[in-house]
Every structure is written in structure tokens, then in C-alpha cells.
Amino acid sequence: LKNKHGLYTPQTQKVFGYLVQGLESEFWWWELVVKRLDILVVAIIAYTPIVYDVRGKLVLYGIVSTCALVVHVQYQPFDDRQAGLLDRVELRALQARAFTFWALTCLFIFEAIPKVAKAIAGVMLASNAIFIAIALFYIAVQ
């Protein structure tokens, strides 16, 4: 993989195609570096005593999710087929993820009264439902 021009040879595609398909050629490393780093950081937060309190872990999850969203917006690594469909779907997924973690953080840290908690939970569920609906729509029209 040192020669990025060889990424699209049949032999390389057979072995590594699932990692580079849909990415612009200059971002062939995106899945290997950015996405795996995201998973690693979330796993470290989840499975190590880096923060003992659940609320602290939620804050860190929110920060990691927001960073992933910002990095994606900055670089938009997916190719522009179908008018940038992959970048749009990834953007919506990262927005839903970040919003979910921040909504959960608000629920646990501020210990909202039941009416407010239900409203926040409803908006959080609606956000995720909207993402799923958008993804299904994109799948249906393709």
C-alpha cells in the first residue's frame, strides 16, 4: 500500500478493496487510521479506568464524537459519486452519534426533571430515527 497508485489494481482490490472503496484516492488511509483510531479511543474510554464515573465517560464520548464529526467535515474523504452521497450519509451518522452522546450527557449530568428528560430522550430518538429514515431513503433511490 505504499504506492497509492497501485490501490486500484485487481490484486490489491481483492485484498484491501473493502477498506478503500468509496474513498477519494488521497484518503485511501482513512478507514485504517481515522476510523480505527476512533474505535480505539472509544474502547479505551469504555474498558479502562481512565474515567471511573459514567458521566465522565459520557463527556469523553461526546468529545470523541464531536472530534470525529469535525474531522469528517474538514476532509470529506469519500468520493463524489452520486453527488457526494457517502459523505452526506457519514455526516448524518456522525451528527446523530454526537447528538446522542451529548443528549445522554445532559440527561445524566443535569438530572433533569422527568418532563425535560422525556423531551430530551424524544428528541434524541427522533434524531436517530431521522438518520435511519434518510439512510433508508438513500438506499431506496439508489
Side-chain angles (χ1 to χ4, degrees):
L1 283 176
K2 289 181 182 177
N3 179 2
K4 72 178 181 181
H5 300 294
L7 285 174
Y8 300 100
T9 63
Q11 183 180 7
T12 305
Q13 284 294 303
K14 184 176 180 181
V15 177
F16 298 107
Y18 68 96
L19 290 172
V20 297
Q21 281 295 330
L23 293 168
E24 293 182 13
S25 61
E26 63 266 24
F27 294 110
W28 62 268
W29 47 268
W30 190 263
E31 289 288 331
L32 294 169
V33 176
V34 176
K35 291 301 200 175
R36 298 306 179 258
L37 182 62
D38 184 11
I39 292 169
L40 176 65
V41 171
V42 169
I44 288 170
I45 294 167
Y47 300 115
T48 65
I50 191 167
V51 176
Y52 289 103
D53 188 27
V54 172
R55 293 173 291 196
K57 288 182 184 279
L58 284 172
V59 169
L60 290 178
Y61 290 142
I63 291 169
V64 170
S65 298
T66 303
C67 289
L69 175 62
V70 168
V71 168
H72 176 80
V73 167
Q74 178 69 32
Y75 292 100
Q76 297 186 5
F78 294 104
D79 63 29
D80 295 328
R81 287 181 287 175
Q82 302 294 326
L85 178 64
L86 291 175
D87 277 322
R88 288 193 318 241
V89 171
E90 181 73 3
L91 175 65
R92 300 297 180 254
L94 291 170
Q95 287 172 333
R97 174 188 174 199
F99 182 77
T100 298
F101 280 126
W102 286 119
L104 287 171
T105 301
C106 288
L107 284 173
F108 283 106
I109 288 180
F110 299 120
E111 298 177 5
I113 60 173
K115 284 185 180 181
V116 173
K118 287 178 184 176
I120 292 172
V123 172
M124 182 179 61
L125 289 172
S127 168
N128 285 280
I130 289 169
F131 163 68
I132 291 169
I134 288 170
L136 290 174
F137 172 76
Y138 286 146
I139 289 169
V141 297
Q142 296 305 314

